[in-house]
Amino acid sequence: MKGRLFALVDCNNFYVSCERVFDPALEGRPVVALSNNDGCVIARSEEAKALGIPMGAPLFRVRPLIREHGVRVYSSNYALYGDMSGRVMASLAEFAPDVEVYSIDEAFLDIAGAGRRGAARYGREIRAKIHRWTGIPVSIGIAETKTLAKLAAGIAKGSPDGVFAFPRAVALARTEVGDVWGIGRRHAAMLKASGILTALDLRSAALGWARKRMGLGGARTVLELGGTACLDLETQPAEKKTTTVSRSFAHPVEELDALRDAVSVFAARAAAKLRRGRLLAGGVTVFIHTNRFAESGPQYHDAATRPLASPTSHTGDITGAALSALERIFRPGLRYKKAGVLLFELIAEERAPLTLFGAGGDSGRGGRLMKAFDEINRKFGRGLIRYGSARPGWRMNQACRSPHYTTRWEDLPRVAADGGRARGCS
């Protein structure tokens, strides 16, 4: 893959940046976003990082810092974050013929057309336009390989113009080997024990030794650090094998009826995810467990699986199988903290096997029903129509969630002194 030039575009403190787009008063203030049920810190502004609020910290442990410094706290708003991510990724397609969406806040671009001499200037142009078009600040790393581009993007976060191109030996020497893309904890420990402490050390490692100790992936990393591109852009997403919807409960759940409500909601959301991806599932697994961090009370976790008669994305079929699995593993008298639904053996709709009566999958009345079901909920709001078992009594704890500014008509910001502003908590 000679002549390739990769740019990694990384959205800065993405969840916090999304909140700031719709409330500019948050600029310069410490802000954090929380995980489901307002459990842990999963995103921090630079100001919050400077206060010493650690990533992944439980909210209750950092409450004193939040109160002392007036930190603005937001519940996770995945509808907003997902939509803003889509806008950023669509904008990036304007700058490169090939774009690999690597995660919700990262993408690799092929910018070989910009040329090595003009790459940094092109990166600054991309950064400026993405901020102007979406309001999201990004950092951009540029290099001849994806591994080096990833390393450069990390350095770019501390760069005045947010762009860093072609990391030299000094940059590799300042990067711990455990921070190299693709090096996990186990390999990092092994490398450090072998005297390989930095990315520069790893680049200099013997290729045969790296392959013997870390497999083909490790050898590729060594080559990539040396400027030999082994990884191409993956412009087509990998085919999914499973999909999961799970949540921790804000308060322990003890009754089977309450668990049935939650599992029914999870099953409906998982089925809707399948239909959006034009996928069908061959089976359903349900899992439940108590709070493993509880200091008292019995501990329990279990899972049960139910095959589906034929691959389907029909909410009724999936919910029925999920509830059957739940009843098999439920034990009374316990305080359940989490439940989830996993759909497996996923296949594309067009590859569904034929049935005795003709076409496979969700063809016929069932498929038309689900299509109408989704259209109504998309137009008038999720959950407007639902199966009776998916009662709306179950809710996550989201005391500080901002409005769904970009995906709900009723949440559109209003032009007023404080209309439509993000509420947040302090």
Side-chain angles (χ1 to χ4, degrees):
M1 289 183 282
K2 292 184 178 180
R4 301 300 298 272
L5 202 56
F6 299 94
L8 178 66
V9 180
D10 187 356
C11 300
N12 298 341
N13 308 320
F14 181 56
Y15 293 172
V16 168
S17 295
C18 290
E19 301 291 354
R20 283 175 164 173
V21 168
F22 296 94
D23 190 353
L26 296 175
E27 291 291 343
R29 291 192 56 178
V31 182
V32 299
L34 304 176
S35 61
N36 289 328
N37 280 311
D38 294 348
C40 300
V41 174
I42 58 172
R44 305 161 295 163
S45 67
E46 295 301 320
E47 296 81 4
K49 294 175 186 178
L51 294 176
I53 297 176
M55 188 69 160
L59 177 60
F60 72 89
R61 289 185 179 171
V62 294
R63 277 287 188 196
L65 273 175
I66 287 170
R67 289 171 179 154
E68 180 182 354
H69 298 282
V71 179
R72 189 72 73 86
V73 178
Y74 285 88
S75 303
S76 53
N77 187 344
Y78 295 120
L80 174 65
Y81 307 152
D83 186 70
M84 292 300 291
S85 173
R87 294 174 187 225
V88 171
M89 302 309 167
S91 299
L92 290 176
E94 299 287 326
F95 301 99
D98 293 312
V99 177
E100 175 191 339
V101 178
Y102 180 66
S103 68
I104 191 172
D105 60 351
E106 293 178 285
F108 286 100
L109 279 64
D110 177 0
I111 61 165
R116 185 181 175 92
R117 298 181 68 179
R121 182 174 63 251
Y122 194 51
R124 290 190 288 271
E125 178 185 340
I126 293 172
R127 185 174 186 268
K129 287 187 176 179
I130 293 301
H131 190 263
R132 185 162 66 247
W133 293 348
T134 68
I136 301 295
V138 302
S139 299
I140 301 178
I142 300 169
E144 300 91 341
T145 73
K146 291 171 73 174
T147 301
L148 286 172
K150 182 81 170 173
L151 188 150
I155 299 172
K157 289 183 180 295
S159 173
D161 62 2
V163 176
F164 189 86
F166 311 114
R168 301 280 186 250
V170 65
L172 272 64
R174 292 174 180 171
T175 302
E176 292 189 15
V177 71
D179 293 333
V180 174
W181 186 44
I183 301 298
R185 290 184 180 179
R186 184 171 61 85
H187 282 154
M190 180 275 294
L191 290 168
K192 289 178 181 178
S194 302
I196 297 176
L197 307 180
T198 68
L200 183 62
D201 296 336
L202 183 56
R203 187 185 75 173
S204 303
L207 200 59
W209 181 89
R211 181 163 186 168
K212 182 179 179 180
R213 300 299 301 271
M214 298 187 292
L216 182 59
R220 285 175 176 166
T221 298
V222 171
L223 288 169
E224 289 247 323
L225 288 172
T228 300
C230 302
L231 303 173
D232 204 351
L233 291 185
E234 298 178 10
T235 55
Q236 295 298 321
E239 193 169 274
K240 294 186 67 174
K241 302 300 182 183
T242 65
T243 189
T244 304
V245 176
S246 65
R247 296 290 185 272
S248 296
F249 305 127
H251 305 287
V253 173
E254 300 182 50
E255 302 298 327
L256 176 59
D257 283 348
L259 273 178
R260 285 174 59 90
D261 291 348
V263 167
S264 295
V265 170
F266 301 161
R269 291 179 182 175
K273 286 172 66 176
L274 289 187
R275 295 192 293 272
R276 286 195 297 271
R278 299 184 63 81
L279 297 170
L280 307 174
V284 181
T285 295
V286 172
F287 57 88
I288 54 176
H289 62 70
T290 54
N291 186 358
R292 64 181 183 275
F293 299 110
E295 296 180 357
S296 61
Q299 294 294 311
Y300 173 77
H301 63 87
D302 205 354
T305 295
R306 291 288 185 269
L308 295 162
S310 61
T312 184
S313 61
H314 194 289
T315 297
D317 295 341
I318 290 172
T319 301
L323 293 178
S324 172
L326 172 65
E327 290 177 2
R328 179 178 177 275
I329 58 177
F330 174 77
R331 300 290 183 271
L334 299 174
R335 294 163 60 82
Y336 294 98
K337 180 62 176 176
K338 187 173 184 177
V341 172
L342 179 146
L343 305 182
F344 60 91
E345 291 182 2
L346 305 190
I347 63 169
E349 287 180 352
E350 61 270 19
R351 298 212 309 271
L354 295 177
T355 68
L356 180 63
F357 300 101
D362 286 329
S363 58
R365 294 178 62 187
R368 293 195 296 272
L369 173 63
M370 288 294 99
K371 183 177 180 179
F373 198 94
D374 292 337
E375 286 294 331
I376 291 171
N377 282 330
R378 184 160 43 245
K379 185 173 182 179
F380 298 104
R382 186 172 75 176
L384 181 70
I385 58 171
R386 53 182 171 76
Y387 277 76
S389 60
R391 289 176 292 184
W394 180 84
R395 290 288 186 272
M396 281 196 301
N397 183 24
Q398 291 183 309
C400 308
R401 183 183 60 75
S402 55
H404 295 305
Y405 293 112
T406 62
T407 55
R408 287 184 184 173
W409 286 105
E410 60 269 27
D411 284 353
L412 283 175
R414 294 183 295 275
V415 181
D418 64 349
R421 292 295 188 197
R423 302 305 192 270
C425 299
S426 296

